[in-house]
Amino acid sequence: MRRTRVVGKTSPDTGRRTRPKDRRARIAAAAAVAFAERGYHGVSVEDIATEVGVTKSALYRHFPGKYALFLNSALMLIDSLEGALDSVPDDPARDPRETLRAQMSAIIAVTVEQRRSAGIYRWERRYLRKEDRPAIRERSWAVNARIRRPLHQIRPDLSDEDAFVLVAAMLSTIGSITVHNLTLPPRYMEQLLLDACTALAETRFSPAPAAPERVAAADRPGQDNMRENLLRSAVGLFHQRGYNEVAVEDIAATVGLPASGIYRYFVSKSDILAAAFHRAADRLETAVAAGTAAASDPEDALRSLVSIYVDLSFSQRELMSVYFAELVNVPDASRADLRLRQRANVEQWSSYLQAICDGLSAADARFLMYAAINLVPDLGVLLGTSAAQQQAENIHRCMLAVLLSRSGQRLGHGEDAPCTPTIGSAH
């Protein structure tokens, strides 16, 4: 971690150093960044104290322990979202399009400003204690409800459920900047995100979304293979409890093995996690290769890629959820390889998007790809397995709306988007 030494001033009267008045805020800020970047179990109190330049005992004067710091980080994120919405005047006479645009702009600005710490939302559901989850969930839903109000005025055709999903997709799109390191000028980044949110607000959902077809048992390799059974059992446990709360003995017990029996198949618990992730990457790459080979043009290829990604994500939702939450626990070499494979996928998708949309830069295309991909795990976690499967077609449409957002209409005013579309409307 980058160390920022915080020292107090020397009192002219006593010659002693005084505590800086903002020490608590500095500790809280350092903790939020650490948790967002490395997760709950990847951070220690010592790490945070070192980052701020204080002793552990000094830190404990402000927070009783690591969990208190984590809870405070989650609350800070909710506070910032509520503060962003509070900055938008509640004027019933105002054009709801302007209100929605102002709300999105305010949330985008605060997320860009707090990019390093805002990623805490990826971890809070997994590591918050049960007694703390309801209050934060209610506040999160209240944020969604405040955004739904102008959206309903603009789109009276929307059911409350569909409006909830669209707003969640907007917030996920904005939050996508916390899961990658692409660098763009802040104002330009804000405009890209605002265009994407605008496109989402205008997305038409299917009247009765149908659940995607389940992957047939024959398509899942190794149903009776002990290695595959271990992988599936481990992923299920990691999803339920979190990687750090699961022991090798727990995994072994699910398949009737002693703990020592696992080491005939895997060298360690982290090796199991890496193997599961590589298996998911293999399946995605195989499906993508088949889908793109059958595509007639870049438009067809892009639609095929979106469909494949959504369907695979929900047919193995637990694995996808674990992937986004636990990648930090994979050994360095495997994590680097998985990152390279992910970047290769994004580059391939981006090339199709650029071929479809004249004038779209490679950086913009990658940025939009990450935003669209981020929608799937976020909405999957938020909606739950059954609801997410029912909404698969609509999530597909949300992804396309984000990808094609530079060619869409905008809320409010602004320069014309530079992209001239050659693809049909996503809605």
Side-chain angles (χ1 to χ4, degrees):
M1 295 177 69
R2 186 176 60 229
R3 182 167 178 171
T4 304
R5 186 73 181 175
V6 179
V7 295
K9 297 180 179 179
T10 301
S11 168
D13 299 325
T14 64
R16 297 177 181 175
R17 289 203 175 272
T18 59
R19 298 176 190 170
K21 294 181 179 180
D22 64 345
R23 176 180 285 178
R24 188 181 193 281
R26 289 174 179 265
I27 292 170
V33 170
F35 289 132
E37 293 180 346
R38 290 184 285 156
Y40 183 73
H41 290 289
V43 178
S44 68
V45 171
E46 290 86 349
D47 293 334
I48 297 167
T50 300
E51 170 71 10
V52 182
V54 300
T55 63
K56 283 175 61 178
S57 59
L59 185 151
Y60 286 134
R61 294 190 192 105
H62 301 280
F63 297 95
K66 186 170 81 166
Y67 180 75
L69 282 161
F70 182 77
L71 175 60
N72 185 73
S73 298
L75 292 171
M76 285 171 58
L77 176 60
I78 298 296
D79 288 343
S80 67
L81 294 177
E82 292 172 340
L85 293 179
D86 288 342
S87 70
V88 178
D90 186 10
D91 182 1
R94 190 181 193 183
D95 184 336
R97 290 176 176 79
E98 288 297 325
T99 298
L100 183 59
R101 182 179 186 275
Q103 288 179 333
M104 291 296 98
S105 295
I107 290 176
I108 289 168
V110 76
T111 305
V112 170
E113 180 184 354
Q114 301 177 12
R115 185 177 185 180
R116 291 187 66 199
S117 61
I120 190 73
Y121 85 90
R122 290 176 292 149
W123 309 94
E124 62 183 32
R125 295 181 185 89
R126 183 173 292 268
Y127 295 119
L128 283 175
R129 292 174 182 166
K130 289 183 179 180
E131 63 269 24
D132 294 320
R133 292 174 188 171
I136 290 184
R137 182 171 60 245
E138 288 172 10
R139 291 177 66 183
S140 298
W141 287 350
V143 166
N144 186 295
R146 291 175 68 176
I147 301 170
R148 289 203 305 273
R149 285 198 289 271
L151 180 59
H152 272 306
Q153 291 178 280
I154 300 167
R155 298 278 309 280
D157 59 297
L158 286 173
S159 69
D160 203 51
E161 179 183 7
D162 286 350
F164 178 89
V165 172
L166 282 179
V167 171
M170 294 179 204
L171 295 174
S172 173
T173 297
I174 296 169
S176 69
I177 65 171
T178 68
V179 300
H180 64 77
N181 296 317
L182 293 180
T183 302
L184 296 171
R187 293 296 296 274
Y188 186 68
M189 186 188 303
E190 292 174 14
Q191 187 62 60
L192 278 177
L193 292 171
L194 184 58
D195 288 344
C197 289
T198 299
L200 285 166
E202 297 167 351
T203 300
R204 302 286 170 178
F205 279 177
S206 61
E213 294 182 5
R214 296 183 63 84
V215 177
D219 294 335
R220 294 196 294 265
Q223 292 295 294
D224 298 318
N225 181 283
M226 180 58 73
R227 179 181 171 86
E228 299 301 328
N229 290 338
L230 284 168
L231 284 174
R232 286 196 304 274
S233 297
V235 167
L237 291 173
F238 296 154
H239 175 71
Q240 292 169 12
R241 305 184 201 170
Y243 174 82
N244 288 279
E245 301 299 325
V246 175
V248 168
E249 291 80 1
D250 299 327
I251 301 169
T254 63
V255 295
L257 285 178
S260 59
I262 281 189
Y263 299 112
R264 295 199 297 269
Y265 305 94
F266 301 99
V267 299
S268 64
K269 186 174 74 166
S270 62
D271 185 41
I272 298 174
L273 189 66
F277 290 171
H278 281 290
R279 172 59 52 79
D282 290 342
R283 292 192 66 196
L284 178 62
E285 288 167 3
T286 298
V288 164
T292 54
S296 58
D297 53 35
E299 173 184 336
D300 192 25
L302 186 67
R303 290 183 179 277
S304 177
L305 287 172
V306 169
S307 180
I308 288 167
Y309 186 74
V310 172
D311 290 347
L312 275 180
S313 295
F314 291 137
S315 68
Q316 49 187 14
R317 194 184 74 82
E318 288 187 351
L319 177 57
M320 293 299 289
S321 174
V322 172
Y323 179 89
F324 282 94
E326 307 291 1
L327 186 60
V328 292
N329 291 304
V330 171
D332 290 345
S334 290
R335 184 167 63 253
D337 180 60
L338 288 164
R339 293 287 194 195
L340 285 173
R341 295 175 75 172
Q342 182 187 53
R343 289 194 197 102
N345 285 332
V346 170
E347 292 291 340
Q348 181 184 13
W349 291 35
S350 300
S351 67
Y352 292 126
L353 185 57
Q354 284 186 273
I356 293 165
C357 191
D358 295 337
L360 191 69
S361 72
D364 289 1
R366 288 193 297 271
F367 187 92
L368 293 173
M369 286 308 315
Y370 279 114
I373 288 171
N374 197 59
L375 285 172
V376 181
D378 276 1
L379 293 180
V381 169
L382 182 66
L383 297 174
T385 303
S386 178
Q389 288 179 328
Q390 290 294 321
Q391 290 279 356
E393 171 61 24
N394 290 336
I395 294 172
H396 183 150
R397 295 181 182 212
C398 286
M399 288 188 71
L400 286 173
V402 170
L403 293 174
L404 304 175
S405 58
R406 292 299 278 170
S407 64
Q409 302 260 337
R410 296 182 182 178
L411 295 172
H413 307 287
E415 298 176 354
D416 291 337
C419 172
T420 302
T422 61
I423 189 172
S425 172
H427 46 268

